[in-house]
Amino acid sequence: FILDFYNVTKDIKAAFDDYYTSTSLDEETSPNKLNDLVDALENFEVYNEETVIDFFGKYSNNAERTILDPIIDSSAAIFKNDLDLDKQIDFKQKVKSFLRTYSYLSKLLDFNNHYWEQLWWFLKYLSPKLFIDSNDDFAVGIIEAIDMDSYRPTKQETEKIVLDTGMGSVTPIPVSVSGGKPENEFDTLENIINTFNQRFGDIDWTNKDKVNEILTIQIPDDIRADLQTMDTINTSPDKQNAKISSDRKVDKLMQQYMRTQTEIFKKYSTDEDFKRQYREFVFDTLWQNQDSATNL
């Protein structure tokens, strides 16, 4: 039984095909690449071999966190203060790569390298303290903001997926010795609106066309026409404050529909999931238009 949130049939089939009958690696994960990764990490000079050995010696003797944390914090401070943004991203990616690869290979191979084991424990405790300050990550806080209790499963269809019987192959764990800042991905306003329509497509509106016009066009246009609200949004010190102003205006406009559009008002007033997502939709619409105007 598979409970899937938003995958189409062909994607599910592609994900399982390689593991259906027999699976092989199309190439080896070379342990020798760990040597390069260890050397690359040490070149950042966030820590040295003496630091790692000192930490592991205390850790293996069950030292208190009050003794271990200063060792880790010292390296975390070097990471934060001495590395620029690109180097921070590169170093953190290499740390994750070493932790992932060594964890996997150490179960299969006997490295007979005590320092790598010590380094794994050191980096395991260092990794959670490698904070990267960047104002360009628009995804920060999204997971924390999602209220999963408000979502409901909807059965759309039942379909049998027939998997191929041939041998599948998978690529090995990558051992990367380079990293960089990923590019942000954006979407068009049209796709945002289409996604909104699909998201609430299962709501049994009496007049779907009219409701769609009010929710996706009329209310955003009413907010744009309110110069005071738009000025507050445009001059807010940060995006969160701008959204608060947008949410308040949406609430006020919804009150006006209490008698003329009872169905919309009732849905907005009683369904917290709908209310939250609609507020986000309106703000995303306004904010993207603001960004476009700024770029022009």
Side-chain angles (χ1 to χ4, degrees):
F1 176 77
I2 300 174
L3 175 63
D4 194 76
F5 286 97
Y6 194 75
N7 285 334
V8 295
T9 302
K10 66 177 183 179
D11 293 335
I12 299 174
K13 182 180 185 301
F16 281 85
D17 258 337
D18 286 333
Y19 307 98
Y20 181 48
T21 51
S22 60
T23 308
S24 64
L25 285 173
D26 55 14
E27 62 177 293
E28 294 181 350
T29 298
S30 174
N32 294 327
K33 292 183 179 180
L34 278 175
N35 278 315
D36 299 332
L37 195 54
V38 171
D39 291 341
L41 283 169
E42 291 181 349
N43 288 336
F44 287 92
E45 298 183 350
V46 172
Y47 61 86
N48 54 39
E49 185 172 341
E50 290 74 17
T51 304
V52 173
I53 294 174
D54 179 42
F55 172 84
F56 184 79
K58 292 180 171 63
Y59 174 80
S60 59
N61 287 315
N62 299 317
E64 298 290 335
R65 289 300 297 264
T66 54
I67 297 177
L68 298 175
D69 282 343
I71 303 175
I72 296 296
D73 292 341
S74 177
S75 293
I78 295 174
F79 169 84
K80 180 178 180 180
N81 299 323
D82 295 357
L83 303 184
D84 61 28
L85 179 59
D86 289 335
K87 288 184 178 180
Q88 287 179 351
I89 295 172
D90 193 12
F91 178 79
K92 189 170 184 178
Q93 287 181 342
K94 286 180 170 60
V95 168
K96 290 182 177 180
S97 180
F98 178 83
L99 291 173
R100 179 181 64 246
T101 308
Y102 183 77
S103 295
Y104 170 70
L105 292 179
S106 63
K107 295 178 175 62
L108 307 175
L109 305 172
D110 183 9
F111 287 118
N112 196 27
N113 189 321
H114 298 300
Y115 177 69
W116 283 5
E117 180 72 16
Q118 295 170 339
L119 180 60
W120 187 89
W121 283 102
F122 175 78
L123 294 178
K124 178 184 178 182
Y125 281 89
L126 176 62
S127 179
K129 296 193 176 186
L130 300 179
F131 299 108
I132 298 177
D133 297 326
S134 173
N135 295 326
D136 296 332
D137 188 357
F138 300 107
V140 170
I142 287 181
I143 298 299
E144 293 78 5
I146 295 177
D147 178 14
M148 294 302 296
D149 293 335
S150 300
Y151 284 82
R152 67 184 186 280
T154 301
K155 182 176 181 180
Q156 295 182 333
E157 63 181 9
T158 301
E159 184 173 348
K160 184 177 181 180
I161 302 175
V162 180
L163 300 178
D164 297 331
T165 57
M167 176 179 289
S169 64
V170 294
T171 56
I173 293 179
V175 184
S176 175
V177 294
S178 63
K181 182 179 178 181
E183 294 294 329
N184 291 316
E185 295 183 6
F186 298 91
D187 208 343
T188 63
L189 181 59
E190 180 182 3
N191 285 341
I192 293 176
I193 294 176
N194 289 337
T195 300
F196 175 84
N197 292 335
Q198 294 171 7
R199 187 182 302 163
F200 297 106
D202 61 339
I203 298 177
D204 190 20
W205 303 110
T206 301
N207 187 338
K208 288 189 176 183
D209 291 338
K210 180 64 175 178
V211 168
N212 180 71
E213 181 182 356
I214 292 173
L215 293 177
T216 63
I217 300 175
Q218 185 169 325
I219 290 181
D221 284 348
D222 287 345
I223 298 178
R224 293 190 192 98
D226 186 338
L227 299 181
Q228 182 177 356
T229 298
M230 290 306 301
D231 182 63
T232 303
I233 292 175
N234 294 334
T235 59
S236 293
D238 55 52
K239 194 173 181 179
Q240 184 59 37
N241 284 328
K243 186 176 184 306
I244 292 173
S245 300
S246 173
D247 291 348
R248 288 174 179 169
K249 185 60 179 179
V250 172
D251 290 345
K252 186 175 181 180
L253 288 174
M254 280 296 177
Q255 290 292 330
Q256 299 177 11
Y257 290 110
M258 183 167 54
R259 291 183 175 84
T260 60
Q261 295 293 333
T262 307
E263 191 176 33
I264 295 178
F265 175 77
K266 182 179 179 181
K267 184 69 175 176
Y268 186 82
S269 302
T270 59
D271 189 334
E272 287 297 323
D273 181 36
F274 175 83
K275 180 178 181 178
R276 175 180 58 79
Q277 293 193 56
Y278 183 66
R279 281 173 162 184
E280 292 175 355
F281 162 76
V282 171
F283 179 69
D284 287 342
T285 303
L286 298 173
W287 192 258
Q288 187 169 40
N289 282 346
Q290 178 202 20
D291 287 344
S292 298
T294 301
N295 292 332
L296 291 174

